[in-house]
Amino acid sequence: MERVVAGLPVVTGPQWPGVNYFCTTRAGGVGVAPHDTLNLGRRAGDDPDTVTENRRRVRAALPAEPLWLRQVHGSVVVDADQADLPDEPAVDASVTAQPGRVLAVMVADCLPVVIADAQGTVLGAAHAGWRGLSGGVLENTLAAMRAKAPQASGWRAWVGPGIGPQAFEVGQDVLDAFTKDDPATLRYFTPRPGISGKWLADLAGLADFRLRRAGVQEVSLSGMCTVAGADRFFSYRRDGETGRMALLAWLGPV
């Protein structure tokens, strides 16, 4: 669903007790093409002052400064509640059990995924491209959450805007990354007619499959394709040089 938060157009999913989350769009910022307008990525080739202003605008919608990550398309998870964290840890997911601790992941085709328990006692946010997804970033995030809150139950997840199944053409390497250990995932790949060695991959479907297999009972998919939504979303696959959106999530009163 679409909302406006602190003057920024955002998209979000089902309302969960004790959990706040949304994903920014490309609207509401100060950037110029090809980063127009709300680019939040410092490594996307944009003017640093512009990114700083855009992050300031997002900060106005949050209870605290987010834990920004230097994402590396891996599967490592950081505990956002630990002391002496480095500036922008080089990981692709984070977890917290501290109300008001804001988690953030940046995307421009990869999937932003937020996970929480039914009571809103622990929270995780993950950046899931095909490498991280096949490498277990979602399973690792859930395991880290279970370790922080052993009594938590009723797991739920929201998979935000990402590259859709009609736009994500992949090769044998991506197919093998998922199917070598679980042939059942082959159903999320559709061969390209007349193009040998190419498939269309359903990245959100793969995320749904892996989340449910890991024990998440309720998975909601945004159904929004970043490649098709040029007016709303940044897309690296579509544009090459472009900005980054962010999923922001925190525990606390809704």
Side-chain angles (χ1 to χ4, degrees), residues 35-110:
H35 302 95
D36 48 327
T37 62
L38 192 68
N39 169 44
L40 300 170
R42 287 178 174 167
R43 298 173 181 83
D46 201 358
D47 175 68
D49 291 338
T50 298
V51 178
T52 297
E53 170 58 20
N54 286 336
R55 289 193 176 192
R56 185 196 66 78
R57 295 185 179 205
V58 170
R59 172 66 180 84
L62 307 171
E65 183 67 23
L67 174 62
W68 298 103
L69 307 176
R70 183 166 62 84
Q71 297 161 191
V72 294
H73 294 275
S75 57
V76 177
V77 183
V78 69
D79 184 345
D81 301 336
Q82 69 186 35
D84 302 320
L85 279 174
D87 183 44
E88 297 196 4
V91 300
D92 286 83
S94 56
V95 297
T96 182
Q98 177 182 319
R101 181 58 158 140
V102 182
L103 308 182
V105 293
M106 285 184 293
V107 290
D109 287 335
C110 294

Side-chain angles (χ1 to χ4, degrees), residues 72-76 92 110-111 127-140 168 170 173-174 177-178 203 206 210 236-237:
V72 294
H73 294 275
S75 57
V76 177
D92 286 83
C110 294
L111 299 173
H127 162 253
W130 75 263
R131 289 181 179 84
L133 189 58
S134 64
V137 68
L138 298 183
E139 292 90 340
N140 292 352
F168 192 30
V170 302
D173 56 339
V174 179
F178 288 96
L203 197 63
L206 287 161
R210 295 188 71 126
Y236 183 81
R237 175 66 67 103

